[in-house]
Amino acid sequence: MIILIAGASHVGKTVLSQRMLEKYKYPCLSIDHVKMGLIRSGYTDLTPEDDDELVDYLWPVIREMVKTAVENNQNLIIEGCYIPFDWRKDFDESYLQSIRFICLAMSDEYIDTHFADIKEHASDIEARLDDSYCTVDQLKEDNHKVIEGYQKFGEKIMLIDSDYEKTIGDILI
C-alpha cells in the first residue's frame, strides 16, 4: 500500500505520516527532504519558495518512486505539498488500487480559532527554521487553493474544522 498525504503547509501532513509510521510500520518519505536534497546539492536552481515549479520538478521523480514501490509490492508513506492536483492521471488502475490518497485541509473557522495552536505545534515533528511567513491570511489562502485544486479533480478532502485530533484519529482507523 502506498499512502500519499497532501495538503497545505501547517495542516499536519508530517504529524499524520509519523503517526501512520508508528501504527503501520510503513517507511515514510518526506517530499521536503527530497526537495532540500536536490536544492542543497545544486541539482536545481529552484529555491524552497518556488512552490509551483517544484511540483513540476519533483512529481516525476515521486511518481516513479510510487510506481516502483507498487511494482515491488512495498508499503510506503509519502507526504508533502508537491503532489499535483491531477496526480491520478499518471497511474492506471493497476497502480491506483494500491494507492490511498489523503488530503488534509483546514477550514477558515478552524484557522481563526486555532491559529495560536497551529503556530505552537508547527515544529512538533520537524524544526521550522523560519515560520514568519505563516499568517492567518496565508494559511487561509493556501488551504483554499488546496481544497479547490483537489476537489476540481474529484478528490475527497479531510477537512479539519473543529477537532484536529479527532480528524487525524478518524484517518488512522
Side-chain angles (χ1 to χ4, degrees):
M1 173 63 64
I2 308 303
I3 302 171
L4 297 177
I5 303 172
S9 181
H10 289 76
V11 297
K13 298 179 301 293
T14 307
V15 168
L16 177 59
S17 67
Q18 179 67 33
R19 290 186 187 174
M20 288 184 147
L21 179 150
E22 292 166 3
K23 179 175 181 169
Y24 302 120
K25 309 299 185 223
Y26 291 1
C28 184
L29 173 71
S30 167
I31 301 174
D32 278 343
H33 292 170
V34 175
K35 169 189 78 176
M36 292 310 298
L38 291 166
I39 290 171
R40 288 179 162 183
S41 67
Y43 278 96
T44 181
D45 292 329
L46 295 172
T47 71
E49 288 77 36
D50 295 325
D51 285 340
D52 291 335
E53 295 89 347
L54 282 163
V55 171
D56 294 337
Y57 185 74
L58 295 168
W59 180 243
V61 175
I62 301 303
R63 176 192 68 217
E64 297 309 315
M65 292 172 73
V66 168
K67 288 179 180 177
T68 301
V70 169
E71 291 161 0
N72 288 316
N73 200 29
Q74 295 173 304
N75 299 313
L76 181 61
I77 301 164
I78 299 176
E79 64 90 5
C81 57
Y82 302 105
I83 299 171
F85 299 135
D86 62 348
W87 68 273
R88 286 184 189 270
K89 73 173 175 32
D90 293 325
F91 301 98
D92 64 35
E93 188 55 38
S94 66
Y95 290 102
L96 289 172
Q97 62 188 344
S98 297
I99 301 171
R100 178 180 177 198
F101 179 74
I102 300 167
C103 180
L104 295 176
M106 294 175 176
S107 69
D108 286 355
E109 296 77 18
Y110 184 86
I111 293 168
D112 286 336
T113 306
H114 296 91
F115 183 70
D117 297 326
I118 294 166
K119 292 285 280 189
E120 180 182 328
H121 292 285
S123 293
D124 280 359
I125 304 294
E126 60 187 353
R128 294 183 187 266
L129 301 179
D130 179 14
D131 204 25
S132 59
Y133 70 92
C134 181
T135 65
V136 168
D137 290 338
Q138 187 64 52
L139 276 180
K140 288 180 180 180
E141 180 182 327
D142 291 349
N143 277 271
H144 287 202
K145 181 180 175 183
V146 163
I147 292 167
E148 291 163 12
Y150 284 115
Q151 282 182 339
K152 178 180 175 185
F153 289 95
E155 299 295 346
K156 181 181 176 188
I157 308 298
M158 295 301 297
L159 188 65
I160 302 163
D161 60 0
S162 60
D163 187 336
Y164 177 84
E165 288 300 328
K166 179 175 180 346
T167 303
I168 297 299
D170 289 346
I171 294 169
L172 291 172
I173 293 174

